[in-house]
Amino acid sequence: MTTETLDNRKKPGMIRDDIDPSKWAWWAIILIGLGIAIAFAMIFIPKYNEAFIYLVQGVVITLRVTIIAYILATVIGLFVGLARVSKNVFIYNAATLYVEIVRGIPMIVLILYFAYAFIPIVIEGIHGLGNLALMVLPGNGFFTGMTLYSIRSIPTELRGIMALAVGYGAFEAEVFRAGIISIGKGQMEAAKSLGMTYLQSMRFVILPQAVRRVLPPLGNDFIALLKDSALLTVLAINELTQLSRLRRASTFQIFETFNVVAFLYLSMTLTLSAGVRWLEKRLRIEE
Amino acid sequence: MKKVLFSLSVIVIAGILLSACGAAASGGTAGGQSQAGLPDLKGKAITVAVENAYPPFNSIDSTTNKGVGWDYETTLEICKRLNCVAEFKQAAWDGIFPAMAAGEYDMLADGVTITEERAKTVDFSTPYVTVGQVLLVRNDETSTLAQFKSDAQKLVGTQIGTTNEIVAKKTFPDKQVQSFDDFGAAVLALLANDIDGVVIDNVSAAGFMKEQAGKIKIGSQITSDEQLGFVFPPKSDLKTAVNAALAAMKADGTLDALNKKWGLSQ
C-alpha cells in the first residue's frame, strides 16, 4: 500500500507528474515569442526592415545620452546624498533645497526649462561677466571670448543630458542617503575610534557598504532614465522616440513603427535589467 | 416622499451639469436654415480639430485666452451657410492624420497642405488658398539661401510631419534640419539663437512675425505652390457640403475678404 502525499498526487492540468505548466514563466515565454516574431518581421518584411534600419540610429543616441546622464546623476547623487546627512547647516540646507525642488518638477518641464530658460540665462550671465571684466581689463582676450560665447557651444543634446542628470541626481541623492543611514551607527563610531576623520570613515568604511546595499534602486533608476530619455524628443534631439515620430509622420506606417520602437526599447531595458541583476548577484552582501 | 425628492434632485442636478457641458467652445446657431442652394445640415454639431499653435490659422489670443484665427472665422462662416454648429477641439499635430483617418473628428482645420500621400488616408476639401514656403530668419540675418545650404553651422527648424519638413530636408542637408513638436517651439529656438532659420508657410511666417514684432523676418522664398484645404475622414459626406459652401464663398467674395483679413493673400 503506497502512501500518497499531497506532493505526489497528480493535479488536474498536469501532463506528467513532474510537468506543471501552471508554474512556467508564461509572461517570459509570451514576451520572447513576440520578440522573435518582430525580429523575424524585421528581417523578412520590407516595411519592418526599413523601419529598423532607420530607427537603429536612434538607439545609439539614446544609449549615449542615458549612460552619460546616469554617470553624471550618480556623481551628483553621491555628493548631494552625503550633503544630506551632513551636520553642516549650509551644506545640508543647500542639498535639501536642490532635492525638494528638482524632485517636485516633472521631468519634461525640467528638460524644457533647462534647455530654453536656464541655459540662455547662464549664457547671458557669462556675457555680462565678460563685459564687466572688460571694463576693468579692456582688450583682454579671455574676457572678450566670454562676451562672445555663443549659446550654440552648448548643443541641445548636451542640455538634454544635463537636464536628465540634474533631474535624476535628486533621486540618486535620496538613494545614497538611504544607503548611508542604513549602515549602523556602530560602524561610524568604530571607524572614528580607530582615528579616522569623518571623511575617511565615509570613504573607507561606510560608503563601500552603503553602495552595495543600494545597487537595486540604482539599477532601477538607470532603466527609468533610459525610458525618460524619450522625453528629449521635445528638444528635437534625434533619439529613438524622435526618430519614430519622424518616421510615422513621413511614412504613415503607424503600426510597424510602433512595433519596432517598442521592440528596441524593450531590448535595451530588458538587457540592462538582466545586467543589473547580474551585478547585484556578484556584489551582494551576505549578512 | 424622501426617496422621490432625492431622485428628483439628482435628475435636476444631472440636467444642469449636462447642459453646462454642452456649452463648451461651440459656435454658430442651432435651429435655422442653411443658405439658399447649399446643403442643410439641420443644426448638426460638427467637431473641428484645431492645433491652436499655428497663427494666423488658429492660435490662442494672449489677451482673451480664446482661440482666434482664419480657421475659426471661416469655419463659423461655413457653418452659418450650412446650418451646423462648429465645436472646436484642440488636438496635437502629432498623430492627427491617423486620428482623422479613424474618424475621430469631423473636420481638421489647420492650414494643411494637400498632398497625394495624405490623400491616400484622408479626404481633402477643394483648395482655399495657395501659399509658398519661406525661410523665416532673425532680423539681423544676412546669409543667403545658398550660404545656408553650404554652411554646416547653419541650422534650420520645422515641424514634424509637415510638407515644410519634407521641403527642408530636400533643400538643406539632413543634418542641418531639426524637427520640433510645433512651429512655436521652432520659432522659440530661432529667437534663442539655437537655430538660424525656420522653414514655414509664408502665411504662418507672417503670423509669427506679427506676434514677434521686429525680431524676425522672411529670408528667402523656397516654394510657391502649396494648396491648403480642410481635412475630412475618408468617405465623409461633410466634405461635399463644405465644398459647396466654399464655392459659394469664393463666388461672392467672402473667401477673398477672409484671406485678405488674415494675411493669406494680399
Side-chain angles (χ1 to χ4, degrees):
Chain A
M1 204 166 70
T2 45
T3 31
E4 279 189 342
T5 63
L6 271 147
D7 293 341
N8 290 345
R9 256 187 325 196
K10 220 166 157 213
K11 295 192 204 86
M14 285 171 81
I15 301 165
R16 293 187 344 217
D17 278 3
D18 48 348
I19 298 183
D20 185 1
S22 69
K23 287 216 172 66
W24 292 356
W26 284 107
W27 65 272
I29 296 174
I30 294 174
L31 197 57
I32 295 175
L34 285 172
I36 294 178
I38 298 194
F40 258 95
M42 294 196 306
I43 301 175
F44 294 116
I45 303 182
K47 275 195 197 165
Y48 277 89
N49 191 279
E50 286 155 9
F52 174 72
I53 295 174
Y54 180 72
L55 293 171
V56 126
Q57 316 163 56
V59 169
V60 173
I61 311 245
T62 295
L63 283 174
R64 177 169 78 208
V65 163
T66 305
I67 292 174
I68 300 179
Y70 187 69
I71 294 175
L72 285 173
T74 310
V75 170
I76 294 176
L78 185 58
F79 284 105
V80 176
L82 280 168
R84 288 268 286 146
V85 298
S86 150
K87 299 239 179 358
N88 180 309
V89 168
F90 178 70
I91 294 179
Y92 172 77
N93 279 295
T96 309
L97 191 65
Y98 161 71
V99 168
E100 291 302 328
I101 290 179
V102 168
R103 268 199 320 187
I105 298 179
M107 203 64 224
I108 196 171
V109 173
L110 207 57
I111 291 172
L112 287 168
Y113 179 81
F114 213 84
Y116 294 129
F118 184 67
I119 294 289
I121 292 180
V122 165
I123 300 285
E124 289 290 305
I126 294 180
H127 291 171
L129 277 174
N131 280 318
L132 260 168
L134 278 177
M135 289 201 293
V136 178
L137 296 166
N140 182 301
F142 178 70
F143 292 129
T144 318
M146 268 176 85
T147 55
L148 297 169
Y149 194 65
S150 150
I151 198 173
R152 212 67 73 80
S153 322
I154 311 182
T156 35
E157 188 178 317
L158 187 59
R159 284 180 239 177
I161 292 176
M162 287 199 281
L164 284 173
V166 165
Y168 271 80
F171 289 99
E172 305 316 327
E174 289 301 280
V175 164
F176 279 118
R177 184 173 75 97
I180 292 170
I181 57 186
S182 77
I183 306 293
K185 268 182 92 169
Q187 294 286 307
M188 182 55 107
E189 286 168 5
K192 285 243 178 94
S193 69
L194 284 174
M196 291 194 199
T197 65
Y198 177 79
L199 279 175
Q200 281 174 327
S201 17
M202 270 296 168
R203 167 138 151 58
F204 294 110
V205 178
I206 310 284
L207 280 180
Q209 299 180 60
V211 169
R212 270 196 283 178
R213 246 188 219 177
V214 298
L215 276 178
L218 282 182
N220 196 42
D221 280 348
F222 185 40
I223 293 166
L225 206 159
L226 188 140
K227 289 197 300 168
D228 271 353
S229 73
L231 296 172
L232 293 185
T233 178
V234 300
L235 299 183
I237 296 173
N238 282 344
E239 44 80 53
L240 186 53
T241 303
Q242 168 83 343
L243 286 187
S244 84
R245 299 174 75 192
L246 294 177
R247 184 164 179 86
R248 268 188 294 128
S250 62
T251 63
F252 287 83
Q253 290 164 9
I254 319 291
F255 194 58
E256 293 86 345
T257 311
F258 273 133
N259 284 342
V260 176
V261 167
F263 176 86
L264 288 171
Y265 268 118
L266 274 172
S267 323
M268 285 191 283
T269 51
L270 291 174
T271 311
L272 287 170
S273 221
V276 166
R277 267 202 297 271
W278 172 83
L279 195 66
E280 278 177 44
K281 277 216 182 80
R282 274 206 60 187
L283 299 178
R284 189 173 50 193
I285 302 173
E286 312 288 7
E287 300 203 12
Chain B
M1 185 57 185
K2 270 213 192 125
K3 269 205 182 156
V4 172
L5 267 176
F6 177 77
S7 4
L8 259 176
S9 28
V10 166
I11 294 174
V12 167
I13 293 176
I16 295 174
L17 286 173
L18 280 172
S19 57
C21 285
S26 351
T29 43
Q33 277 185 321
S34 66
Q35 288 195 356
L38 292 175
D40 189 339
L41 296 179
K42 304 201 187 4
K44 183 166 93 148
I46 55 170
T47 47
V48 184
V50 288
E51 197 188 343
N52 277 339
Y54 197 48
F57 290 98
N58 49 78
S59 59
I60 303 285
D61 184 324
S62 51
T63 40
T64 62
N65 266 336
K66 292 220 163 106
V68 295
W70 184 96
D71 284 324
Y72 283 95
E73 248 194 80
T74 311
T75 315
L76 288 172
E77 174 66 32
I78 290 177
C79 265
K80 208 163 51 159
R81 294 176 183 235
L82 296 177
N83 188 16
C84 55
V85 178
E87 285 174 0
F88 294 98
K89 296 249 175 344
Q90 183 160 321
W93 176 250
D94 191 357
I96 193 65
F97 283 104
M100 290 308 297
E104 224 178 284
Y105 306 98
D106 293 318
M107 185 166 130
L108 166 65
D110 199 16
V112 185
T113 307
I114 302 176
T115 70
E116 262 178 45
E117 182 76 45
R118 291 170 177 173
K120 288 189 199 154
T121 49
V122 294
D123 276 358
F124 281 99
S125 70
T126 48
Y128 49 73
V129 75
T130 304
V131 300
Q133 295 190 28
V134 296
L135 188 67
L136 188 62
V137 295
R138 284 180 297 273
N139 237 354
D140 53 10
E141 185 70 57
T142 50
S143 306
T144 63
L145 190 59
Q147 287 171 316
F148 260 85
K149 288 193 214 188
S150 53
D151 185 353
Q153 301 281 6
K154 293 279 186 203
L155 301 171
V156 298
T158 179
Q159 186 183 28
I160 300 180
T162 51
T163 50
N164 308 99
E165 190 187 21
I166 299 174
V167 165
K169 293 203 160 144
K170 262 203 279 215
T171 318
F172 305 97
D174 248 20
K175 281 210 174 83
Q176 286 172 242
V177 178
Q178 290 189 349
S179 304
F180 292 86
D181 273 336
D182 52 51
F183 279 110
V187 172
L188 190 71
L190 177 69
L191 291 169
N193 229 308
D194 275 336
I195 57 179
D196 302 289
V198 178
V199 178
I200 187 174
D201 286 353
N202 57 357
V203 179
S204 192
F208 278 106
M209 276 165 66
K210 208 156 48 147
E211 277 184 7
Q212 305 285 344
K215 297 197 193 138
I216 47 183
K217 66 176 186 193
I218 295 187
S220 13
Q221 184 100 18
I222 306 182
T223 71
S224 50
D225 53 359
E226 314 254 321
Q227 295 196 308
L228 307 185
F230 296 113
V231 180
F232 303 93
K235 304 197 194 28
S236 145
D237 23 66
L238 183 58
K239 180 177 91 160
T240 20
V242 170
N243 280 344
L246 276 175
M249 284 165 68
K250 276 187 199 159
D252 67 18
T254 327
L255 191 62
D256 237 9
L258 278 167
N259 285 353
K260 283 208 175 68
K261 171 175 174 191
W262 290 98
L264 271 70
S265 54
Q266 262 56 57

